[in-house]
Amino acid sequence: MTYNATLIPGDGIGPEVVAAAVRVVEATGVSFNWDEQQAGIGAYDDTGNPLPQATVDSIERTRLAFKGPLTTPVGTGFRSINVRIRQLFDLYANIRPCETLPNTKGPFEGVDLMLYRENTEGLYAGIEHFDERLQIADSINRITRAGSERIIRYAFEDAQRRGRKRLTLVHKANILKETGGMFLKIGREIAPEFPGIEFDDRIIDNMAMQLVIRPSEYDAVVTTNMFGDILSDLMSGLVGGLGVTGSANVGKDCAVFEAVHGSAPDIAGQGVANPTAVVRSGEMMLRYLGENGAAEAVRLALHDVYSDAKALTGDLGGTATTTEFADALVDRVEAHSA
């Protein structure tokens, strides 16, 4: 079977790391028909639109996208295209596995966490107002019962599929009693439907402290949009940084798999970028498609290459180029796929 997918190389180092990840994914023997499209600052420079209609139409047709990092202007300019894509296609669940690889620089060994982040609501819904006369800016933290129910239920169901034993709901219900309070209440309502998973909750500031002291005590986490954005970066720091963690954005019948790190324009075109984050996102894409054997080959290949440590990129203390790192991964993927 050949899968139709939209391919968005992205900005900065995006084209390099995406090209490497595509090689690794295709080395499994799974076939893709890639429809390459633009998004981000490069698309804006070329077309005047950071998310061209052709890109939207492609994702609408394929219902599957694989993308590199996009540059978002800070403070001014267009809003995040990553957020726009999630909202356009109602990709309500952001899934972020954080698992330690050998020879990485994380402060802990053996970290294995799952984060489920609500992806379309909260402060990131972008409902903002500015009173010019009074110079007051407001943002609305919109939380809905429907949105809360579907991300919490998704987290329970996916955690159950993965054999996870504990799900921790993170909130700020002690202060945000309506928004955070409703999210927590819904979690407590759904939890009895999943007796095989221990359910508890933590206040966001306490959870941030807990994760940097004793991450091994946690298993899977579900939370709202902004808290999830913050915790996902924190968890990535526990396993070596954003350069080694993948990400999936999943809706009812559409999914986008992407790098979570930035576009790093300062090293673009130098052939030194680490493609691990996009490769791990490719592994997640394969699992989403039901190609579990291929996904496992990618996972094992990453562990092999990191354990061997002969083809690591400079950020990991090695001297390999992006292409050389991809070559090593392809060799190992083919060996595990044989």
Side-chain angles (χ1 to χ4, degrees):
M1 180 177 180
T2 297
Y3 297 98
N4 293 317
T6 303
L7 185 68
I8 303 173
D11 299 317
I13 60 171
E16 300 165 71
V17 294
V18 168
V22 165
R23 287 183 57 209
V24 174
V25 168
E26 290 183 337
T28 65
V30 177
S31 177
F32 288 87
N33 177 27
W34 303 106
D35 181 18
E36 187 169 329
Q37 298 291 340
Q38 287 184 295
I41 196 75
Y44 182 79
D45 291 342
D46 290 346
T47 70
N49 186 347
L51 184 60
Q53 188 60 45
T55 305
V56 175
D57 291 344
S58 177
I59 300 173
E60 183 69 46
R61 177 178 60 81
T62 64
R63 314 303 292 175
L64 179 69
F66 192 35
K67 62 181 283 296
L70 304 180
T71 299
T72 302
V74 177
T76 59
F78 56 83
R79 291 184 180 274
S80 168
I81 300 308
N82 295 327
V83 173
R84 280 183 61 188
I85 290 172
R86 294 166 195 163
Q87 292 175 341
L88 275 173
F89 295 96
D90 200 22
L91 306 176
Y92 66 87
N94 179 248
I95 304 102
R96 217 54 103 74
C98 290
E99 180 190 10
T100 303
L101 284 166
N103 292 311
T104 48
K105 301 174 184 178
F108 297 97
E109 294 293 330
V111 174
D112 184 8
L113 296 164
M114 289 292 302
L115 178 75
Y116 301 95
R117 165 191 172 190
E118 200 292 317
N119 219 16
T120 61
E121 297 187 344
L123 286 169
Y124 286 15
I127 307 171
E128 295 191 311
H129 307 285
F130 183 69
D131 186 321
E132 183 71 35
R133 181 177 66 87
L134 298 175
Q135 293 289 291
I136 295 174
D138 293 303
S139 289
I140 295 175
N141 181 27
R142 176 161 292 172
I143 304 293
T144 69
R145 170 167 280 276
S148 300
E149 285 179 346
R150 66 181 182 175
I151 184 59
I152 294 169
R153 188 173 297 282
Y154 183 96
F156 270 111
E157 291 174 347
D158 194 68
Q160 185 172 261
R161 282 193 295 269
R162 294 173 185 266
R164 299 281 171 164
K165 302 302 182 184
R166 178 183 179 187
L167 180 66
T168 302
L169 184 147
V170 177
H171 60 86
K172 191 65 178 174
N174 58 326
I175 303 298
L176 304 174
K177 294 186 184 296
E178 296 299 331
T179 53
M182 181 172 69
F183 193 77
L184 175 58
K185 179 175 180 287
I186 292 169
R188 288 171 173 169
E189 291 171 356
I190 293 175
E193 299 177 30
F194 298 88
I197 297 178
E198 177 188 352
F199 176 75
D200 59 4
D201 69 274
R202 293 287 184 274
I203 295 171
I204 176 62
D205 37 340
N206 177 44
M207 186 64 183
M209 180 185 70
Q210 295 288 329
L211 285 171
V212 298
I213 295 174
R214 49 181 73 89
S216 61
E217 292 188 10
Y218 294 90
D219 192 359
V221 174
V222 61
T223 190
T224 52
N225 204 339
M226 186 173 73
F227 293 161
D229 191 13
I230 295 166
L231 287 183
S232 61
D233 279 23
L234 186 154
M235 289 182 183
S236 293
L238 300 178
V239 298
L242 295 176
V244 296
T245 50
S247 176
N249 302 283
V250 177
K252 184 179 179 181
D253 63 352
C254 183
V256 175
F257 299 84
E258 63 185 356
V260 296
H261 55 69
S263 57
D266 55 319
I267 61 168
Q270 298 177 32
V272 298
N274 181 354
T276 298
V278 193
V279 170
R280 281 186 138 175
S281 300
E283 176 198 335
M284 297 178 75
M285 179 173 65
L286 291 167
R287 292 193 192 281
Y288 172 80
L289 294 171
E291 299 285 355
N292 294 316
E296 190 64 9
V298 173
R299 188 187 74 82
L300 292 172
L302 276 166
H303 278 264
D304 289 348
V305 171
Y306 272 72
S307 293
D308 182 65
K310 294 179 181 177
L312 299 181
T313 48
D315 59 309
L316 299 167
T319 59
T321 65
T322 307
T323 299
E324 289 167 343
F325 179 81
D327 289 343
L329 276 178
V330 166
D331 287 345
R332 297 309 305 156
V333 166
E334 289 176 345
H336 285 296
S337 300

